[in-house]
């Protein structure tokens, strides 16, 4: 009968930054004795950084050599595991691919690399079955969602996975919800606090989530999702008015990555967009920089997993979990299964549309006509008392319809002389 | 380098009831092809039930024999895995122990067996290192909390684990919260709906949670907790008034199992009790029969895991995950580590005490005196307008103090002539 065979790991670590320092501290200091005690023989013998002379915010033991040449790790046959925490795609790809080719195990936190080169990585791993490949830290830093999807749904059938996978935007949306603040102000605050980059595009336009939901769709559905094709709507169009309307609906607004089957289970929709979420949903409860993933499945119905999505030690902890599983001989196959899917971008759902107009006679009647023309059935119309007749917001929510129908409805409205712009459209959870 | 070696499993299933039927359906019908596709060669060749002539609510394939004699499975050398879903302790112990002795893998959902015989099971497994032992379904049915604790905190240090681990009582408490109903009424409703047993003691007095938190304490802290010594307070003392006071505190009341370190990390407290939980906590969001577990740790801070705690397919799904991991050669050591702990029942916390009295002059002054005498610092006093002078409820919340201090405070109050009974005492989360 089979038993796990531990394998001492001699690690070459790429990246001596925030997460790399955290991994080094855990493995070589805070939990060194504990790891040895549970049979995880782990040593980080080399760290590769861009500038070896730069001061680090963690102390490096005498048994660890700091190098700047990739080859010093990749060509060192005594190193049997590469931990890639450099970020970026180009150099990380060279390092990870070469490590696999040389039969070294790989642990990475690089969602962009994974999302962009998934088929190539899978192919390479097939040629090197002796290599363990792990990436718990790539999605939702401190939440063990990769382990859970790799190990706990074999007997189940997932119908939907969605969640908050970006802490920066969730911090911003939480501020907009709790303080009634507007987008531009919370962005400035997030930048001042270091949550958001000077160029916040990757976060606020949802590109970060795009890569993450593509990875989760791989795990949940076996789907190889071409990342660039994932429809992606960010949060920069949201205003404080949207949070007021959401409150009227006993809801809030969250930026979600979603992968879900259509009604008959034949097609898969993967998209990133702000979503109106009822306050009773656990997703609404994830405030600040927190992340949460919710899985709907045939057997278990709904489970959810929440925690920090980023940060030195939460992310480092996930990296260390991967390292230890490999060292103890208990690594999981990285991608549980593969399945070809037809992707459906024109998914069915209920929608929220916020219409901004100059007040005039007959607007509601005209909105009703345009809805009917586009096959959209109106569920509710929400409006606050009018304060500025030149700038009136109201919201139309729909019965279930296709995304293309509600988008066509919004385009029709944009052509009306009273419309100030194209209505903002979001899904309802 | 080590690779997982799959091992075809020929399973003998003990128990053809709710969960057993679910496991059979998943393995032999709904996911049979999928499991074969991912390399999990799983066959259930025998089911042992008390009455072989009884009609079952699942259809049994021709390749499966229904037996009533334990030996038909235990003495069958072709069976290499026993799945124990009989429940109870006496017979289940015989089956599980004999299976291990005969070198068969064991999957069980039996929390009571595990909690009661943990040291013996560990000892037996040491003598049979070839045996895999898995029990994901034993705690919080559909939530993969066992896998997470076995695999995702190697580099971390858990300081507290707590949660809602009993669906019956959470259903009742949610009703009391949302409908202002009283305990006796919601118990009757839970019994009528089949959520609660005719004798509800194990649920409402917290005994079910006692076994579960003992198991989680083993995983989180390495502690072998003598289950019978875990202080256990149920929900039968709670009244609608408590939910009114909780609402004044922007909180609700949940029955929690808790295992936590004291401030300097030297002692472990394990207990079951109703707890006043702020509405902002994810624990407050788990309504109805849902379960949730929250883990606090040094690296990751807070993660939480929620989902159904019981039910045929959620529980069966966890059993199947265990089976598949063994079949794919990826089983995890069942108990990550062992550590001797000093247990501290007299833990420090903030407390809620509800005092019921006949209205009289000077009660608040006397309460203040008794608090001071017992070393209890009062945080707040909550009272609704008095309606019935013979039956007045008010609440005293405390600053951090030891449990023994607040209990002594409550005992002192009980001796006052105006006190109607000993005050109810709960922790604040």
């Amino acid at each position: 009968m089979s038993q796990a065979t531990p394998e001492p790991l001699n690690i070459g670590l790429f990246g001596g930054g925030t997460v790399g320092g955290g991994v080094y501290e855990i493995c070589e200091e805070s939990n060194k004795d504990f790891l040895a005690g549970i049979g995880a023989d782990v040593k980080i013998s080399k760290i590769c950084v861009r500038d070896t002379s730069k001061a680090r915010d963690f102390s490096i033991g005498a048994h660890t050599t700091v190098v700047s040449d990739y080859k010093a790790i990749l060509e060192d046959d005594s190193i049997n595991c590469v931990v890639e925490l450099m970020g970026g795609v180009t150099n990380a790809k060279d390092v990870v691919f070469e490590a696999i080719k040389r039969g070294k195990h790989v642990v990475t936190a690089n969602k962009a690399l994974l999302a962009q080169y998934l088929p190539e990585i899978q192919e390479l791993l097939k040629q090197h079955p002796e290599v363990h490949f792990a990436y718990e830290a790539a999605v939702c830093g401190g939440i063990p969602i990769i382990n859970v999807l790799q190990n706990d749904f074999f007997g189940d059938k997932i119908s939907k996975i969605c969640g908050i996978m970006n802490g920066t935007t969730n911090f911003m949306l939480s501020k907009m919800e709790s303080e009634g603040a507007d987008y531009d102000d919370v962005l400035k605050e997030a930048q001042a606090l270091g949550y958001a980059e000077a160029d916040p595009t990757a976060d606020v336009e949802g590109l970060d989530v795009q890569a993450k939901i593509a990875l989760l769709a791989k795990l949940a559905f076996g789907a190889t999702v071409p990342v660039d094709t994932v429809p992606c709507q960010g949060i920069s169009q949201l205003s404080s008015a949207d949070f007021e309307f959401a409150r009227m609906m006993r809801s809030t607004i969250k930026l979600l990555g979603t992968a879900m089957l259509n009604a008959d289970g034949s097609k898969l929709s993967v998209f990133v967009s702000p979503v109106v979420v009822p306050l009773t949903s656990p997703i609404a409860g994830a405030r600040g920089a927190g992340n949460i993933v919710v899985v709907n499945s045939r057997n278990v119905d709904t489970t959810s997993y929440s925690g920090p999505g980023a940060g030195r030690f939460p992310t480092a902890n996930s990296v260390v979990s991967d390292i230890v599983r490999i060292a103890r001989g208990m690594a999981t196959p990285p991608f549980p299964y593969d399945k070809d899917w037809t992707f459906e971008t024109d998914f069915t759902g209920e929608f929220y549309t916020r219409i901004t107009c100059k007040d005039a006679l007959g607007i509601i009647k005209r909105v009703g006509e345009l809805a009917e023309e586009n096959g959209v059935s109106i569920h509710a119309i929400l409006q606050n008392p009018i304060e500025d007749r030149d700038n009136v917001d109201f919201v139309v929510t729909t019965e279930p319809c296709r995304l293309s129908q509600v988008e066509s409805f919004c385009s029709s409205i944009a052509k009306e002389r009273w419309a100030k712009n194209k209505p903002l459209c979001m899904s309802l959870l």
Side-chain angles (χ1 to χ4, degrees), chain A:
Chain A
M1 295 187 187
S2 73
Q3 276 295 317
T5 315
E7 180 182 1
L9 294 187
N10 187 25
I11 293 172
L13 171 62
F14 284 85
T18 305
V19 180
V23 169
Y24 193 87
E25 280 193 18
I26 292 172
C27 290
E28 297 291 348
E29 287 178 40
S30 69
N31 278 42
K32 190 173 184 61
D33 295 341
F34 177 78
L35 295 180
I38 60 165
D41 186 347
V42 169
K43 188 179 76 172
I44 299 176
S45 64
K46 288 182 183 172
I47 304 180
C48 182
V49 297
R50 211 173 296 161
D51 178 0
T52 57
S53 64
K54 186 175 159 187
R56 303 282 151 190
D57 64 355
F58 59 102
S59 62
I60 298 175
H63 65 285
T64 304
T65 313
V66 180
V67 302
S68 62
D69 182 0
Y70 297 172
K71 290 182 188 167
I73 289 178
L74 294 171
E75 295 182 358
D76 182 343
D77 289 339
S78 77
I79 288 179
N80 59 354
C81 180
V82 160
V83 175
E84 185 277 302
L85 302 171
M86 315 155 70
V89 172
T90 315
N91 292 338
K93 182 192 167 207
D94 291 345
V95 164
V96 165
F97 280 44
E98 184 64 20
I100 298 173
K101 285 177 191 160
R102 289 176 177 264
K104 301 183 197 298
H105 304 307
V106 171
V107 174
T108 177
N110 197 324
K111 61 179 179 293
L113 173 69
L114 275 161
Q116 197 167 331
Y117 291 103
L118 199 54
E120 292 85 347
I121 291 171
Q122 282 199 277
E123 184 55 38
L124 207 52
L125 289 171
K126 259 182 217 150
Q127 294 164 21
H128 294 274
E130 78 282 11
V131 169
H132 292 308
F133 185 85
Y135 55 96
E136 182 64 74
V139 181
C140 298
I143 306 174
I145 187 66
I146 307 288
N147 168 26
V148 166
L149 290 173
Q150 285 173 337
N151 283 295
D152 294 297
F153 290 93
F154 296 124
D156 209 343
K157 194 166 178 209
I158 293 174
S159 55
K160 181 175 179 181
I161 182 165
C162 73
I164 299 170
M165 301 166 199
N166 181 277
T168 304
T169 47
N170 202 44
F171 170 83
M172 291 171 62
L173 296 177
S174 300
K175 281 268 172 189
M176 290 177 78
E177 179 195 12
S178 63
E179 298 174 6
D182 243 320
Y183 174 81
D184 291 334
D185 296 327
V186 295
L187 175 57
K188 273 179 208 144
E189 186 177 348
Q191 285 170 325
L193 288 169
Y195 278 115
E197 310 279 338
D199 175 2
T201 311
D203 288 323
V204 301
E205 297 307 340
L207 307 175
D208 172 71
V209 179
Q210 205 181 28
K212 290 172 180 171
I213 190 64
L215 268 179
L216 294 191
K218 179 70 184 178
L219 289 164
F221 300 103
T224 299
V225 184
V227 180
D228 298 345
T229 69
V230 172
C232 192
Q233 179 187 351
I235 64 166
S236 56
Q237 304 302 311
L238 296 179
S239 77
S240 56
D242 293 310
F243 283 87
E244 279 177 49
F245 287 116
R247 196 170 304 123
M248 290 166 72
M249 300 165 69
R250 305 179 71 84
S251 298
T252 187
I253 302 168
K254 296 294 188 184
L255 179 65
L256 302 189
T258 302
M260 64 181 191
L261 298 184
N262 64 352
D264 70 4
S266 63
K267 293 178 184 173
L268 182 63
S269 296
V270 186
F271 55 95
V272 179
S273 72
V275 174
V276 180
V277 177
L279 291 177
T280 51
S281 163
I283 293 179
R287 296 198 176 80
N291 282 197
I292 184 168
V293 178
V294 177
V295 180
N296 297 110
S297 62
R298 183 192 55 197
N299 292 340
V300 187
D301 195 358
T302 304
T303 50
S304 68
Y305 310 87
S306 76
R312 167 171 256 180
F313 287 107
T315 309
N317 191 65
S318 289
V319 172
V320 173
S321 295
D322 282 342
I323 292 171
V324 172
R325 280 195 283 260
I326 295 173
R328 297 179 95 197
M330 297 172 343
T332 302
F335 307 103
Y337 76 113
D338 300 304
K339 182 170 173 176
D340 283 331
W341 282 99
T342 305
F343 293 102
E344 172 65 275
T345 51
D346 190 20
F347 60 91
T348 297
E350 296 163 282
F351 295 92
Y352 163 110
T353 61
R354 188 216 338 132
I355 298 165
T356 306
C357 64
K358 283 192 271 199
D359 194 27
L361 270 179
I363 290 183
I364 294 297
K365 180 185 159 212
R366 185 64 184 140
V367 166
E369 283 170 1
L370 293 173
E372 192 177 0
E373 281 172 21
N374 288 288
V376 170
S377 176
I378 292 176
H379 175 77
I381 296 183
L382 305 176
Q383 188 172 359
N384 280 318
I386 293 174
E387 289 175 358
D388 173 3
R389 291 203 163 270
D390 280 341
N391 215 5
V392 177
D393 281 322
F394 66 99
V395 161
V396 172
T397 64
T398 78
E399 301 284 343
C401 64
R402 292 203 317 279
L403 176 64
S404 62
Q405 291 175 308
V406 70
E407 284 188 336
S408 169
F409 166 65
C410 289
S411 297
S412 309
I413 286 182
K415 289 176 195 148
E416 296 291 311
R417 61 180 166 66
W418 41 261
K420 310 254 309 182
N421 47 35
K422 188 177 170 187
L424 172 83
C425 175
M426 291 186 271
S427 291
L428 305 186
L429 190 67

